[in-house]
Amino acid sequence: MSTLLHCENLSKRYANVLALNNVNLDLESGKIVGLLGPNGSGKTTFIKILNGLLTPTYGKVTIDGNEPGVETKKIVAYLPDNSYLNTWMRVEQIVDYFKDFYEDFRPELAYEMLERLGISPKMKLKTLSKGNKEKVCLILVMSRNARLYVLDEPIAGVDPAARDYVISTIINNYNPDATVLISTHLISDIEQVLDDVIFIKDGNIVLHQTVDEIRAEHQKSVDELFREVFKW
Amino acid sequence: MDWILDKKKPICPQLCEQICVRIAKGEFEPNQKLLSVRDVALTAGVNPNTVQRSFEDLERMGIVYSIRGSGWYVSEDITFAKDTLERMLQEKTTAYFADMNLLGMQNDEIKNYVKEWEQ
């Protein structure tokens, strides 16, 4: 397995706030990784840097050897924490839009998932519920054949049954060449599918271990350990 | 059969145990093909890499063998799987007796209680 994502002394400062502090991290391909931390810990800042939406104050990040830019956008499928799609569009129009945008997009897979979740391609985005809108966004992202999937809070707004579907989609879509990075605070729902867990606190990575290492070492679930580490 | 996974314990050894149990119970016969990595991952809701490691561990213990490009098969000798089932039965029974002792029941009382409970 090769290194897909590499971060070196990555830091981001907003005026007086240090949102990321000297992050050093390597992620291999073929992993499902959880990026776990409380609100305001730096998860979204980190994810935005990976996607070239923010530039680091210090340090650097490379994805498959390239700094975030045109080349990395071809291989990174990103689910932002809020929707950026035009709400007047129909679901099928957005599928077409993605097909035009990304070479690796697989429309047949998108339609299959939409059908499974009972979302009609004829519907306009603005008539969908918040949860269904989130499902559409996730379907679009997972329908790409990417090397790195970056999912910012993919399950927060969807019901538990759809959550299970999301998780089985991630398992089904598993590919030894691709890595999935999932930021969430709904840990108990997702910890069983993770290889590695990263705890981020005040912009620092405080733990990076496998789920089984954590459970063997602490005799508790990742969720329980999280509650302990981030206790108020 | 559903997979029973304790969230406090590492997943990989638990999958190994449960595959052993299914072999020991006769759900899979010697030289029969086992479930695929993907099937186990999907039905148990766990990471495919973890399932792969479980099969590799079982192979080291001699319980399963792999055929390249085909999958995992149950070994001829399933003694270890049977021993695993026996050990788990013992553990469950020990834990049950310990719990009942804490609730104020002596071992003899527990045995009578179980008999009555059956009827």
Side-chain angles (χ1 to χ4, degrees), chain A residues 179-228:
Chain A
T179 284
V180 185
L181 180 68
I182 307 169
S183 109
T184 188
H185 34 236
L186 295 169
I187 301 164
S188 66
D189 283 322
I190 215 155
E191 65 172 276
Q192 295 205 140
V193 296
L194 302 178
D195 286 288
D196 291 12
V197 165
I198 297 167
F199 278 9
I200 181 167
K201 188 180 188 178
D202 302 326
N204 295 287
I205 289 181
V206 292
L207 178 142
H208 182 185
Q209 273 186 312
T210 70
V211 171
D212 276 5
E213 279 168 0
I214 289 174
R215 290 184 178 193
E217 206 170 291
H218 301 274
Q219 275 94 48
K220 44 175 79 102
S221 67
V222 177
D223 187 49
E224 287 169 310
L225 182 67
F226 182 90
R227 285 164 203 261
E228 216 163 82

Side-chain angles (χ1 to χ4, degrees), chain B residues 37-93:
Chain B
V37 169
R38 185 171 291 247
D39 280 340
V40 176
L42 278 172
T43 52
V46 299
N47 187 299
N49 292 322
T50 312
V51 180
Q52 178 69 24
R53 265 188 289 129
S54 300
F55 278 128
E56 285 166 7
D57 286 352
L58 290 169
E59 186 176 35
R60 267 194 291 280
M61 296 183 258
I63 303 157
V64 305
Y65 61 92
S66 62
I67 294 179
R68 237 192 131 84
S70 171
W72 298 91
Y73 291 79
V74 182
S75 294
E76 195 64 50
D77 179 9
I78 60 163
T79 323
F80 190 93
K82 287 189 165 154
D83 290 349
T84 304
L85 175 59
E86 181 55 34
R87 181 176 53 77
M88 287 176 76
L89 291 172
Q90 280 174 14
E91 277 173 14
K92 290 273 181 210
T93 311

Side-chain angles (χ1 to χ4, degrees), chain A residues 165-185:
Chain A
Y165 182 75
V166 169
I167 290 169
S168 46
T169 305
I170 293 169
I171 297 173
N172 239 331
N173 206 41
Y174 174 80
N175 162 1
D177 293 325
T179 284
V180 185
L181 180 68
I182 307 169
S183 109
T184 188
H185 34 236

Side-chain angles (χ1 to χ4, degrees), chain A residues 23-232:
Chain A
V23 168
N24 288 293
L25 179 70
D26 280 304
L27 295 183
E28 290 172 355
S29 14
K31 300 278 182 183
I32 304 175
V33 183
L35 180 64
L36 315 176
N39 306 110
S41 54
K43 298 191 295 286
T44 298
T45 296
F46 178 64
I47 283 174
K48 284 187 172 169
I49 291 174
L50 299 187
N51 287 288
L53 299 175
L54 290 171
T55 50
T57 314
Y58 305 104
K60 71 164 189 177
V61 55
T62 58
I63 300 162
D64 200 26
N66 294 310
E67 290 194 26
V70 177
E71 284 310 309
T72 66
K73 283 178 192 191
K74 287 181 190 165
I75 60 163
V76 179
Y78 169 44
L79 179 77
D81 60 347
N82 48 15
S83 174
Y84 55 93
L85 298 168
N86 287 321
T87 54
W88 55 265
M89 285 173 106
R90 291 180 197 282
V91 174
E92 58 189 2
Q93 289 174 302
I94 301 170
V95 171
D96 281 345
Y97 188 65
F98 262 66
K99 199 166 66 185
D100 290 343
F101 238 95
Y102 299 107
E103 283 171 27
D104 61 359
F105 188 71
R106 298 166 289 186
E108 63 295 342
L109 196 62
Y111 283 118
E112 190 190 308
M113 288 198 262
L114 286 167
E115 201 189 330
R116 273 287 292 276
L117 290 177
I119 298 168
S120 160
K122 299 278 175 212
M123 295 271 273
K124 279 191 177 158
L125 210 57
K126 65 178 170 196
T127 61
L128 293 175
S129 69
K130 184 170 179 281
N132 278 346
K133 245 181 257 170
E134 289 193 21
K135 286 178 206 166
V136 170
C137 294
L138 185 77
I139 286 170
L140 292 167
V141 168
M142 294 311 291
S143 298
R144 286 187 55 195
N145 186 15
R147 295 284 311 284
L148 178 65
Y149 296 85
V150 181
L151 314 177
D152 199 354
E153 290 288 353
I155 55 172
V158 300
D159 60 80
R163 226 170 260 180
D164 286 347
Y165 182 75
V166 169
I167 290 169
S168 46
T169 305
I170 293 169
I171 297 173
N172 239 331
N173 206 41
Y174 174 80
N175 162 1
D177 293 325
T179 284
V180 185
L181 180 68
I182 307 169
S183 109
T184 188
H185 34 236
L186 295 169
I187 301 164
S188 66
D189 283 322
I190 215 155
E191 65 172 276
Q192 295 205 140
V193 296
L194 302 178
D195 286 288
D196 291 12
V197 165
I198 297 167
F199 278 9
I200 181 167
K201 188 180 188 178
D202 302 326
N204 295 287
I205 289 181
V206 292
L207 178 142
H208 182 185
Q209 273 186 312
T210 70
V211 171
D212 276 5
E213 279 168 0
I214 289 174
R215 290 184 178 193
E217 206 170 291
H218 301 274
Q219 275 94 48
K220 44 175 79 102
S221 67
V222 177
D223 187 49
E224 287 169 310
L225 182 67
F226 182 90
R227 285 164 203 261
E228 216 163 82
V229 171
F230 295 105
K231 208 166 172 181
W232 287 94

